Amino acid sequence: MAENRENEVASLKIDDAGLRGDVVQRTTAPRFDIPTRIAADGDLLCLANARTTTMPTPATPCTAVAIPKP
């Protein structure tokens, strides 16, 4: 789960019924800039940065971060 304003990803352990989850790990990285969506790719989690703290211009790049799955 991306925790945007905290600039971190919370890894959850979901119960067998899928009704409850507990945080088992929190991950942050210097390249996070308000991470939003997460996609899994093999052993990686890929996160798009929202960059809502950056004033957009035509030259503002979009960025993403890949981190190892916990």
Side-chain angles (χ1 to χ4, degrees):
M1 170 175 70
E3 296 196 74
N4 315 84
R5 295 291 176 187
E6 301 299 321
N7 267 335
E8 66 183 22
V9 173
S11 299
L12 306 174
K13 170 94 170 112
I14 306 297
D15 70 8
D16 291 338
L19 300 174
R20 176 183 157 88
D22 295 309
V23 176
V24 295
Q25 181 177 335
R26 294 183 184 278
T27 304
T28 189
R31 295 176 294 142
F32 286 176
D33 189 2
I34 317 293
T36 56
R37 304 284 190 247
I38 300 175
D41 183 19
D43 292 334
L44 296 174
L45 295 177
C46 303
L47 299 92
N49 283 318
R51 305 198 68 205
T52 56
T53 58
T54 304
M55 180 62 69
T57 71
T60 302
C62 294
T63 61
V65 178
I67 60 172
K69 282 184 183 175

